[in-house]
Amino acid sequence: MFDGFLKVACATPQISVADCAHNCDEILSLMEQAAKENVKLLVLPELCITGYTCGDLFFQKTLLSGAECALMELIDASESLDLVCVVGLPAAVEGKIYNCAAVISRGRLLGLVPKTHLPNYNEFYELRQFTPAPSGTSIVSFAGSDVPFGTKLLFSCMELPEFTFAAEICEDLWAPLPPSVFHTAAGASVIVNLSASDELVGKAEYRRQLVSGQSARLVCGYLYADAGEGESTTDLTFAAHNLIAENGILLAENRYQTGTLTITELDVDRIAAERRKMTTYPAVSSDDYLTVSFSLQNELTTLTRPIDTLPFIPQGANADETFEEILTIQMQGLKKRITHAHAQTAVVGISGGLDSALALLVAVRAMDALDRPRSDVHAITMPCFGTTTRTKSNASALCEALGVPVQTIDIKHAVDVHFADIGHDPDIHDVTFENSQARERTQILMDYANRQNGLVIGTGDLSELALGWATYNGDHMSMYGVNASVPKTLVRHLAAYEARRLSGTAGSILLDILDTPVSPELLPPSDETIAQKTEDLVGPYELHDFFLYYIIRFGFSPKKIYRLCTYAFGDTYDKRTILKWLKTFYRRFFVQQFKRSCLPDGPKVGSVALSPRGDWRMPSDASAALWQNELELIEETL
């Protein structure tokens, strides 16, 4: 459970209706299997000790006693198992029968949670046998001990307090105001649902949406265990549709399989981080809740859940729709700024690289949306000491293919004059040599825009801003930064999408730009070979974007990010390489904050951004010592 990772499972036993002894054996087998898999939380279906479809047999004392005896056997067997198990059964309490979730762990019955909302429509007639949950919490005698009974129960792990869960049962989730709303407001990070949802055409997809949506709305982990094979098929069938979701993401799913575990890991640290950030998420108020503590062995959880190496990149069949949406957001921001400023032109410094190509594409889209000619986009290419024929040619050719006028302003002479003015030896290829070129280009763009009553469109991306890979008051500055919240990995995918969409000459040029090494081209090339490759200097952008996402989005520690990264990229980078670039990221991120404190305006497109006016406020002289010390401790273990 280190780093907040918790292995959890849902399972559906293959039951025999009303045969509590048989069902107990099946449940125990699943519990033992789960313990061997290091599962810490196992959720089983509604009324699975007896079967959901017992009908009026629930009135039979023999069945109720059989269920209670079976639960006692499970409690005894759980003493040697390092897990918490939630199992469904009917419970005769204080003269009524309740549909309950029993929470057991380490030889203890921790509590009984009765169902609140009893369906009594269509194929359901639960009010015939069961009583809805009472409003309060009481102590009742059941299965050989005095236990808490009620819906307002929280179950909290002493070794990992962020792992606090509560239960609701089947229809409770489908009700207008599910109990889980109150459970999470009281502090539950995980909700378990014991269900017996019958199968109908189209219901599976609705169930997925319901579980995923509830986990997103409540910012929680949600485990949904469904009844399956073995239930009576007199009128209904059950599909054992088990689902595990975390904050809107479906992590694991199983259907039509009984006797197997649906396993994944929840990240309760991630849930806690998300709640801390959301000012609209209620502060914990659990005055009327009873918290029951339990203990589990704290150990390293083996990860199996999917960790995307490219967290900023949309996946799946609808990815192109998302790319189009991102480009539209960028375009809408620029369109508004052009209109508000009464700008006659959008001025783009085009280098033949990815970032400026994307900015050019967005500018073209903005003019199209304004019903203005593309000739109102003015592209300027400014070759200097490091410019190669390939990038210069691609810059001009892309403009021509898009119908954008382009002019070339060679800045070598101007930079040489500047070197002479400040007394710099042009044969010394230091930071002055590089930054002078970037600042000269920005001066030209700004002054040209003034002459044309235009706006300088910034080309720098989010990854560069995070690393400070920009010349202060050079390419760092613009009048509107359309790529300011687009990370480098996403820039590549947006350019590839546009290449597919445009096809033809423009598409071919974009593909060649994609194939060109990322470089500021500030150092002289050797035989037309780019001498300065950004990723050789600051590290792979796919790693830096991974670091950036988890640092900003969830505030994870260096130790946890390192663990996630070695898990996600284990087949690509060794541990020392990952640690090297993670140290680089933290060092640059802290030292370069002053550049982010004065960024130009630009549209936010995703959940991670570094605008000093919105998403990221950080003092420029903050110390990185705590983060660096944690990384040093990791290095000592290698």
Side-chain angles (χ1 to χ4, degrees), residues 29 58 63 70 101-102 125 141 152 177-178 243 260 284 333 388 411 464 473 476 490-491 498-499 513 550 560 583 588:
S29 176
F58 285 121
L63 183 65
Y125 48 93
S141 179
K152 295 185 176 181
L177 194 60
L243 301 150
T260 61
V284 171
T388 60
I411 67 171
E464 294 177 341
N473 207 33
H476 155 260
L490 181 54
V491 171
E498 285 288 70
I513 291 173
Y550 286 104
K560 183 165 184 174
K583 292 173 73 174
R588 294 191 65 96

Side-chain angles (χ1 to χ4, degrees), residues 440-614:
E440 179 62 27
R441 287 177 173 131
T442 300
Q443 176 179 256
I444 288 172
L445 293 172
M446 290 288 183
D447 293 344
Y448 181 89
N450 289 160
R451 286 190 60 236
Q452 300 294 328
N453 189 25
L455 289 176
V456 176
I457 310 307
T459 61
D461 62 55
L462 180 64
S463 307
E464 294 177 341
L465 295 175
L467 293 164
W469 192 250
T471 298
Y472 191 79
N473 207 33
D475 54 312
H476 155 260
M477 191 48 58
S478 67
M479 296 174 182
Y480 196 72
V482 293
N483 296 338
S485 65
V486 183
K488 187 73 77 177
T489 50
L490 181 54
V491 171
R492 294 193 63 84
H493 282 76
L494 290 172
Y497 165 72
E498 285 288 70
R500 294 193 300 273
R501 188 182 70 85
L502 295 171
S503 65
T505 302
S508 297
I509 296 166
L510 282 171
L511 290 176
D512 193 62
I513 291 173
L514 279 163
D515 196 44
T516 304
V518 176
S519 172
E521 290 196 318
L522 298 174
L523 296 179
S526 175
D527 297 326
E528 287 297 318
T529 300
I530 292 173
Q532 192 180 24
K533 296 179 181 179
T534 299
E535 291 185 289
D536 289 345
L537 300 170
V538 297
Y541 274 116
E542 62 181 353
L543 288 183
H544 287 311
D545 284 356
F546 187 92
F547 303 151
L548 174 65
Y549 180 80
Y550 286 104
I551 289 170
I552 302 301
R553 183 71 176 82
F554 299 107
F556 285 170
S557 68
K559 175 174 169 285
K560 183 165 184 174
I561 292 171
Y562 170 76
R563 181 182 175 191
L564 286 171
C565 194
T566 55
Y567 171 69
F569 285 95
D571 295 333
T572 308
Y573 301 98
D574 61 55
K575 291 182 178 181
R576 288 191 180 276
T577 299
I578 289 172
L579 182 59
K580 170 189 172 182
W581 295 123
L582 182 55
K583 292 173 73 174
T584 297
F585 184 93
Y586 273 107
R587 176 179 57 80
R588 294 191 65 96
F589 186 80
F590 273 81
V591 170
Q592 300 291 323
Q593 170 61 27
F594 74 98
K595 294 179 182 176
R596 297 189 292 270
S597 295
C598 54
L599 289 176
D601 296 352
K604 179 179 179 179
V605 301
S607 60
V608 175
L610 293 172
S611 167
R613 294 166 295 277

